[in-house]
């Protein structure tokens, strides 16, 4: 592999909605650059980036993939990402590895949900952006209307840098080329608009431009990069990955116009935690200490763990000693790779701007910072803004005894995907995995079956209801047990009262004169806590209760801890039954983004599910955000309902808000379903 400097490196991420043709575009770029002998096919399962067996089976990307190649003395790292909203975490996690985010748009379907999300996400992270309109030779396309829609949705800074010509059989450059013929619009006008936009970021060039009436595009490299960095320019290119139209021109744009690692905006690294944290700027200098960021982790049962990273500072070589985060013990880089899909190409070094990988380092994890000196301890990237996993499944192994293996496999899979979350819910005694949607978790289950040979059964997770009281009350219980030998005796008097919602639990000892010896008070509290954990009427944990123990009796011989645990438990149950107990349900705050035309349907649906709309806000591109409060139990299958209401154009997120009493009929059902365990004396 030729020695290449940081200035000759480009890193681009291909993002966009499913079906836009990102994987085929990556294939066309690799083929045109001579990195592969022939273009593969998604239908035949022969593409470089969709190499996973499940991707071949489903014929769309499920995971991000990296492919590097060299062209005209420039090394280009491509990151191909999935487009379905369920796999958005895979796309977002890779963007810090790229200087330029290329949003691929299907010329037939236009602006779609993931198009808007990724454009906005890249803008918030201050990454350079470019749009590629793909499939320009497909039927039923209206390219002038699409160009207008892109500018209306994302701003007038979106300008064509080339235009289709000869009926979509070729493209004509509009930046270096001041005139020419195109299928629509004017090359001359497009050229003028680009120059006008670029010179606006440089006052001296602006003055020269106004004086001369024109300017050589060759003089505009630095202001062009500045315009990209500031979001003042978002170039639009036209192409057909299937036929190769526009692909050579796209490669030229990569080399001549896209920023190298010294020209892109620096990544937002932070050193330290909390208020004392300071901004840390990684310098793309190969001679400085190493700073690299792990943006992808994959775990293969046969190959082991693979950590994929972007080098932001310093040089990583074979045999480098690297620390992971704040670890005190380094690991040795035994083998250093660059990736081309599933192919691992061993290299001697990775310099700033390069994307590399190390294998079989078990301690490596997603979002870790690798470095070679303790001066770079406590450095991390500003947290990425991932969508909240809201679709849950309770999972159990089919085979008894596989519980521990199930947890290990789920933990491995969750380590690869920042939008998968696994938790053990003690309140419902369930292992629950959370993802972004049904497709997301269905793919997870397929991997568990095919890759790890683990059969599981699933069901919707139980709602985490709670119990509480609504009135003060008193309770009493005398526990006396005589079995011929040593007996048990303990008597407890207590009173309870409700606390404000969300307060929790309070236990107060007001026993006077040693009526209950002090050593037995913790036993009384333990008995009360047992009911707080298991519930009194429907089997759900209790909350927001104050318990005051004020009297009782003991026995010098038979007074024992176990007796006061039982007495405390039953005295508390006695009081709860007199205190008008109720069941509480979780209320979530929901935020739904939908086309404006669907706002009424969505608001009506919320109201029909015992929810209330709390606000609406208009966004760009004809989208509206509706916020509301809804009982969590009413959101079962909400993803399917929203898809039906909006034709797949809506998205939503939820977060816990508070607990509220369930309606009386729901409480009756929950109490009837619960079989209270027999109390043991």
């Amino acid at each position: 592999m030729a020695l290449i400097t940081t200035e000759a490196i480009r890193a681009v991420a291909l993002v966009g909605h499913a079906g836009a043709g990102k994987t085929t575009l990556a294939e066309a770029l690799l083929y045109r650059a001579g990195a592969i002998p022939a273009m593969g096919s998604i239908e035949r399962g022969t593409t470089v980036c969709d190499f996973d067996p499940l991707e071949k089976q489903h014929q769309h990307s499920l995971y991000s993939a990296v492919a590097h190649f060299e062209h005209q003395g420039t090394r280009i790292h491509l990151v191909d990402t999935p487009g379905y909203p369920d796999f958005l975490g895979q796309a977002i996690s890779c963007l810090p590895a790229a200087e330029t985010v290329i949003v691929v748009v299907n010329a037939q379907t236009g602006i779609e949900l993931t198009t808007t999300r990724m454009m906005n996400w890249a803008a918030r992270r201050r990454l350079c952006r470019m749009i590629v309109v793909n499939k320009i030779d497909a039927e039923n396309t209206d390219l002038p209307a699409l160009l207008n829609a892109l500018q209306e949705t994302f701003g007038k800074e979106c300008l064509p840098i080339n235009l289709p010509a000869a009926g979509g059989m070729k493209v004509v450059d509009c930046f270096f080329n001041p005139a020419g013929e195109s299928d629509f619009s004017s090359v001359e006008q497009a050229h003028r608009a680009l120059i006008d936009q670029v010179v606006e970021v440089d006052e001296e060039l602006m003055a020269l431009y106004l004086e001369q009436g024109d300017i050589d595009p060759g003089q505009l490299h630095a202001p062009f990069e500045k315009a990209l960095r500031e979001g003042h320019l978002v170039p639009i290119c036209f192409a057909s990955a299937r036929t190769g139209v526009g692909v050579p021109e796209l490669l030229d744009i990569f080399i001549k116009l896209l920023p190298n690692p010294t020209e892109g905006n620096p990544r937002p690294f932070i050193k330290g935690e909390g208020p004392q944290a300071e901004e840390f700027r990684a310098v793309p200098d190969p001679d400085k200490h190493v700073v690299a960021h792990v943006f992808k982790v994959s775990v293969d049962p046969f190959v082991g763990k693979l950590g994929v990273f972007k080098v932001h500072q310093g040089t990583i070589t074979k045999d480098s000693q690297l620390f992971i985060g704040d670890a005190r013990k380094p690991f040795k880089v035994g083998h250093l790779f660059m990736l081309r899909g599933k192919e691992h190409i061993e290299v001697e070094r990775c310099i700033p701007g390069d994307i590399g990988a190390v294998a079989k380092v078990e301690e490596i994890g997603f979002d870790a910072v690798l470095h070679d000196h303790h001066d770079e301890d406590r450095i991390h990237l500003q947290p990425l803004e991932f969508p909240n996993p809201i679709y849950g499944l309770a999972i159990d192994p089919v085979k008894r005894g596989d519980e521990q293996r199930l947890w290990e496999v789920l933990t491995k899979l969750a380590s690869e995907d920042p939008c998968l979350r696994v938790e053990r819910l003690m309140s419902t005694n369930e292992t629950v995995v959370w993802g972004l949607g049904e497709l997301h978790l269905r793919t997870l289950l397929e991997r568990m079956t095919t890759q790890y040979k683990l059969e599981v059964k699933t069901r919707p997770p139980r709602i985490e209801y709670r119990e509480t009281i609504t009135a003060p009350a008193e309770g009493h219980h005398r526990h006396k047990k005589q079995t011929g030998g040593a007996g048990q005796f303990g008597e407890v008097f207590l009173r309870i009262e409700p606390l404000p919602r969300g307060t929790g639990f309070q236990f107060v000892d007001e026993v006077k004169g040693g009526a209950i010896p002090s050593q037995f008070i913790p036993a009384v509290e333990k008995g009360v806590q047992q009911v707080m954990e298991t519930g009194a009427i429907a089997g759900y944990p209790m909350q927001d209760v104050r318990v005051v123990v004020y009297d009782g009796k003991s026995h010098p011989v038979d007074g024992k801890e176990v007796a006061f645990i039982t007495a405390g438990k039953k005295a508390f149950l006695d009081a709860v039954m007199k205190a008008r107990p109720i069941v509480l349900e979780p209320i979530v705050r929901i935020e739904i983004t939908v086309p404006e035309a669907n706002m009424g349907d969505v608001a009506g649906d919320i109201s029909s599910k015992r929810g209330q709309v709390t606000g609406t806000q208009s966004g760009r591109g004809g989208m509206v955000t509706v916020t509301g409060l809804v009982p969590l139990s009413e959101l079962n299958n909400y993803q399917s309902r929203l898809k039906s209401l909006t034709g797949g154009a809506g998205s939503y997120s939820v977060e816990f808000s508070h607990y509220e009493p369930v309606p009386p009929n729901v409480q009756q059902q929950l109490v009837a379903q619960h079989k209270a365990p027999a109390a043991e004396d």
Side-chain angles (χ1 to χ4, degrees):
M1 185 173 289
L3 289 178
I4 281 179
T5 64
T6 293
E7 287 75 14
I9 293 175
R10 307 288 183 271
V12 298
L14 301 178
V15 304
H17 203 77
K22 301 178 295 296
T23 301
T24 304
L25 181 59
E27 200 74 9
L29 289 164
L30 287 161
Y31 171 65
R32 181 69 190 188
I36 55 177
M39 278 185 63
S41 160
I42 290 174
E43 293 74 21
R44 295 194 301 271
T46 53
T47 63
V48 169
C49 292
D50 282 359
F51 57 86
D52 185 89
L54 284 179
E55 292 178 314
K56 294 179 181 182
Q57 177 185 329
H58 291 288
Q59 295 190 4
H60 62 75
S61 300
L62 300 171
Y63 316 103
S64 60
V66 179
H68 83 281
F69 60 91
E70 294 184 8
H71 184 62
Q72 296 181 5
T74 301
R75 179 182 298 149
I76 298 169
H77 295 278
L78 277 179
V79 185
D80 181 32
T81 66
Y84 279 102
D86 284 39
F87 305 102
L88 202 58
Q90 289 276 345
I92 290 174
S93 62
C94 292
L95 298 197
E99 274 71 50
T100 306
V101 175
I102 298 179
V103 182
V104 184
V105 177
N106 185 336
Q108 290 178 297
T109 53
I111 299 168
E112 298 174 274
L113 179 62
T114 306
T115 314
T116 306
R117 286 185 177 181
M118 300 312 290
M119 280 290 286
N120 294 339
W121 194 98
R124 286 198 302 271
R125 297 296 287 200
R126 299 186 66 239
L127 292 165
C128 301
R129 292 171 295 164
M130 185 168 82
I131 296 171
V132 172
V133 176
N134 188 28
K135 305 186 182 182
I136 61 172
D137 55 344
E139 295 181 359
N140 302 319
T141 60
D142 188 343
L143 297 179
L146 177 54
L147 179 58
N148 288 334
L150 289 169
Q151 292 176 333
E152 287 176 7
T153 305
F154 303 118
K156 295 299 183 183
E157 61 270 21
C158 298
L159 294 172
I161 200 167
N162 60 35
L163 287 166
M169 299 302 292
K170 66 176 185 176
V171 298
V172 56
D173 170 62
C174 301
F175 184 64
F176 296 104
N177 184 25
E181 297 294 326
S182 69
D183 290 344
F184 68 92
S185 187
S186 160
V187 173
E188 184 178 354
Q189 287 179 1
H191 172 78
R192 184 70 58 190
L194 279 167
I195 302 298
D196 288 349
Q197 192 78 359
V198 170
V199 297
E200 281 182 5
V201 301
D202 189 309
E203 290 184 5
E204 290 184 11
L205 277 172
M206 171 71 86
L208 183 63
Y209 178 55
L210 293 173
E211 179 185 327
Q212 296 179 175
D214 200 359
I215 199 163
D216 181 4
Q219 295 178 256
L220 298 181
H221 181 83
F224 189 95
E225 303 301 336
K226 185 178 181 183
L228 287 177
R229 286 195 301 272
E230 295 179 355
H232 191 67
L233 174 64
V234 179
I236 299 176
C237 303
F238 292 85
S240 170
R242 184 179 59 84
T243 63
V245 170
V247 173
E249 291 79 2
L250 193 54
L251 283 171
D252 285 343
I253 290 169
F254 285 6
I255 293 167
K256 295 175 182 176
L257 295 175
L258 292 193
N260 65 51
T262 69
E263 294 169 325
N265 283 322
R267 302 304 183 277
F269 284 105
I270 294 173
K271 187 167 187 177
E273 304 288 342
Q276 287 74 41
E278 299 176 350
E279 182 182 334
F280 174 85
R281 181 160 184 167
V283 181
D285 183 338
D287 297 324
K288 287 187 172 289
H289 292 158
V290 169
V291 175
H293 175 251
V294 179
F295 66 89
K296 176 180 169 66
V297 169
S298 60
V299 182
D300 187 286
F302 306 105
V303 178
K305 183 179 281 191
L306 184 76
V308 188
F309 55 82
K310 165 89 166 187
V311 181
H312 295 280
Q313 177 178 292
T315 301
I316 296 178
T317 61
K318 195 176 172 183
D319 299 330
S320 287
Q321 301 275 339
L322 297 178
F323 297 96
I324 303 171
D326 298 336
R328 310 310 296 174
K329 184 180 178 182
F331 73 91
K332 182 180 179 181
V333 179
H335 298 276
L336 184 63
F337 303 105
M338 286 186 189
L339 305 178
R340 188 172 296 149
K342 68 179 178 181
E343 188 181 0
H344 298 177
I345 300 166
E346 193 155 1
V347 296
E348 293 297 320
R349 66 172 193 159
C350 288
I351 62 173
D354 272 332
I355 292 175
V358 290
K360 299 181 180 177
V361 181
E362 289 305 312
E363 298 78 14
I364 209 163
F366 169 73
D367 209 26
V369 170
L370 309 180
H371 56 99
D372 62 355
H373 197 279
H374 286 303
D375 284 353
E376 279 68 46
D377 281 350
R378 302 175 65 231
I379 290 176
H380 55 274
L381 200 65
Q382 266 188 5
L384 300 166
E385 300 158 13
F386 290 107
N388 188 32
I390 50 178
Y391 186 87
L393 281 178
I395 297 186
D396 295 304
V398 169
K399 185 179 176 184
R400 292 191 64 179
D402 271 353
E403 288 79 10
Q404 181 62 33
R405 182 161 177 258
L406 170 67
W407 183 261
E408 290 171 357
V409 170
L410 285 173
T411 302
K412 284 182 180 178
L413 293 172
S415 72
E416 300 179 31
D417 190 334
C419 289
L420 278 174
R421 189 177 80 246
V422 183
E423 59 183 347
R424 180 69 186 171
L425 298 180
M426 302 310 295
S427 58
T428 58
N429 195 32
E430 293 177 313
T431 297
V432 179
V433 59
W434 301 92
L436 297 183
E438 182 186 355
L439 179 60
H440 194 191
L441 294 192
R442 195 165 71 234
T443 302
L444 171 92
L445 297 175
E446 286 185 54
R447 281 196 68 189
M448 293 175 72
T449 303
T450 59
Q451 190 169 322
Y452 291 94
K453 312 301 180 188
L454 180 63
E455 297 288 338
V456 297
K457 51 188 177 182
T458 66
R459 63 181 182 278
R462 299 187 186 101
I463 302 295
E464 293 186 82
Y465 293 103
R466 294 288 186 267
E467 297 178 19
T468 192
I469 58 172
T470 58
E474 295 203 356
H476 161 249
H477 185 77
R478 172 184 286 190
H479 175 72
K480 186 175 181 181
K481 189 174 184 180
Q482 197 72 39
T483 55
Q488 296 177 11
F489 181 86
E491 188 171 7
V492 172
F493 292 84
L494 52 76
R495 57 178 174 265
I496 62 176
E497 58 189 67
L499 290 172
R501 195 80 69 237
T503 305
F505 169 68
Q506 294 178 7
F507 183 85
V508 181
D509 173 15
E510 290 186 0
V511 176
K512 301 289 193 296
I516 299 177
S518 59
Q519 69 266 28
F520 293 136
I521 295 298
V524 177
E525 182 177 4
K526 185 175 181 180
V528 170
Q529 284 280 20
Q530 286 180 358
V531 180
M532 291 292 296
E533 291 170 4
T534 59
I537 59 171
Y540 298 103
M542 297 190 71
Q543 66 180 40
D544 308 331
V545 180
R546 187 172 190 257
V547 179
V548 179
V549 179
Y550 63 88
D551 201 4
K553 288 182 182 177
S554 185
H555 187 279
V557 176
D558 293 344
K560 292 182 174 64
E561 180 183 6
V562 64
F564 281 97
I565 289 174
T566 302
K569 177 180 179 178
K570 294 192 174 182
F572 183 48
L573 280 169
D574 179 44
V576 167
M577 295 306 175
K578 303 171 186 173
R580 299 203 299 270
I582 59 171
V583 176
L584 302 172
E585 64 179 339
I587 305 297
V588 296
R589 187 178 295 107
I590 189 166
E591 186 174 284
I592 314 163
T593 301
V594 296
E596 192 171 355
N598 301 123
M599 183 178 73
D601 293 336
V602 168
D605 186 64
I606 289 176
S607 299
S608 72
K609 301 299 180 184
R610 298 194 288 121
Q612 62 181 96
V613 175
T614 57
T616 59
Q617 183 176 353
S618 297
R620 298 183 72 174
M623 302 297 282
V624 175
T625 298
V626 180
T627 54
L629 295 170
V630 190
L632 180 61
S633 60
E634 298 288 346
L635 290 181
N636 188 29
N637 291 326
Y638 187 70
Q639 193 172 44
S640 298
R641 291 213 309 274
L642 184 63
K643 184 177 181 181
S644 175
L645 287 170
T646 66
S651 63
Y652 76 104
S653 64
V654 297
E655 63 178 357
F656 173 76
S657 176
H658 61 282
Y659 276 96
E660 282 187 6
V662 300
N665 63 316
V666 176
Q667 176 156 324
Q668 290 172 7
Q669 292 173 8
L670 293 172
V671 172
Q673 290 168 4
H674 174 64
K675 296 180 180 180
E680 294 182 7
D681 289 333

